[in-house]
Amino acid sequence: MTTIPAPMFSFPLAEDAVLIPRTAAITDAYHELVAENSERLARWEPWAGKPPVLEDTRSFLETSARNWLDGSELPVAIAVKSSGHWHLAGALSLIISGYTRSAEIGYWIGADYEGRGLITIAAAAVLDQAFGPLGLDRVSLHTDPANERSRAVARRLGFVEEGLLRQGTAFPDERRDELVYGLLAEDWHKRAAG
């Protein structure tokens, strides 16, 4: 498990967990986490179906950082402190459409960190930004109908199941259905007030 330097900028999630920018500065640790989890992630994510290449990981993180700067993405990673060292645990993205004032959220977590609630609290922090400073009206979440863990996160966060996209996701050897969930700013604000 590759450690990362103490983050220069972080958003606290818990005593031992923070969100950090997902940039090329974390390439080695991010690549290692993806490689360790690629077989598990490939069940749900088309991008995880082939072994990761370090240079592709670096390029992906550089693109994420550029997207952040141009306002089209909020790319973050979850870092967890253990034995005095920071380690990456997972990642989230908010792909933003300024024109429609909407976004799509995506996330994944490493197997060693599953079941700790990190994705739920990290996604809630990202949604606070989406419906706060970013001024978005709607966030969608797409997942495989069989991915019960992802569906449970969506429900905990107040997303409403809106429909099924038949064969909505292209995997290398097949197309799969995709469930679409939606969350409106007004729903998020009511939930926060309650």
Side-chain angles (χ1 to χ4, degrees):
M1 186 179 309
T2 302
T3 61
I4 59 172
M8 181 186 301
F9 170 81
S10 64
F11 183 90
L13 298 173
E15 187 175 308
D16 65 341
V18 296
L19 288 178
I20 63 171
R22 204 177 67 215
T23 68
I26 61 169
T27 296
D28 291 337
Y30 191 86
H31 182 77
E32 182 179 308
L33 187 64
V34 169
E36 288 170 358
N37 289 277
S38 62
E39 185 177 321
R40 189 175 131 273
L41 292 170
R43 181 172 178 202
W44 310 117
E45 300 290 349
W47 57 262
K50 59 182 182 175
V53 175
L54 183 62
E55 195 47 48
D56 291 345
T57 301
R58 182 180 324 283
S59 177
F60 168 74
L61 295 172
E62 288 170 349
T63 300
S64 292
R66 281 193 302 276
N67 292 346
W68 188 348
L69 291 175
D70 75 16
S72 63
E73 182 179 3
L74 177 56
V76 292
I78 302 169
V80 174
K81 196 169 196 175
S82 173
S83 303
H85 299 285
W86 288 100
H87 305 276
L88 291 184
L92 294 91
S93 286
L94 190 69
I95 307 300
I96 301 164
S97 168
Y99 177 73
T100 62
R101 292 186 316 282
S102 63
E104 181 180 338
I105 192 168
Y107 45 78
W108 64 272
I109 190 81
D112 293 343
Y113 302 96
E114 213 169 45
R116 293 179 48 180
L118 290 169
I119 286 294
T120 301
I121 61 173
V126 169
L127 291 168
D128 280 341
Q129 292 299 304
F131 296 129
L134 295 177
L136 301 180
D137 296 327
R138 172 186 166 77
V139 173
S140 65
L141 184 157
H142 296 223
T143 191
D144 188 298
N147 191 338
E148 286 300 328
R149 284 185 174 272
S150 184
R151 294 178 70 185
V153 169
R155 289 188 296 269
R156 279 194 298 273
L157 292 168
F159 280 84
V160 173
E161 186 177 321
E162 296 180 332
L164 180 74
L165 299 176
R166 296 178 306 143
Q167 297 185 12
T169 305
F171 280 78
D173 57 349
E174 67 178 332
R175 295 196 68 90
R176 295 189 197 163
D177 293 347
E178 186 175 44
L179 271 179
V180 179
Y181 288 82
L183 182 63
L184 304 179
E186 60 198 59
D187 299 333
W188 185 252
H189 295 306
K190 283 180 196 171
R191 184 178 183 274

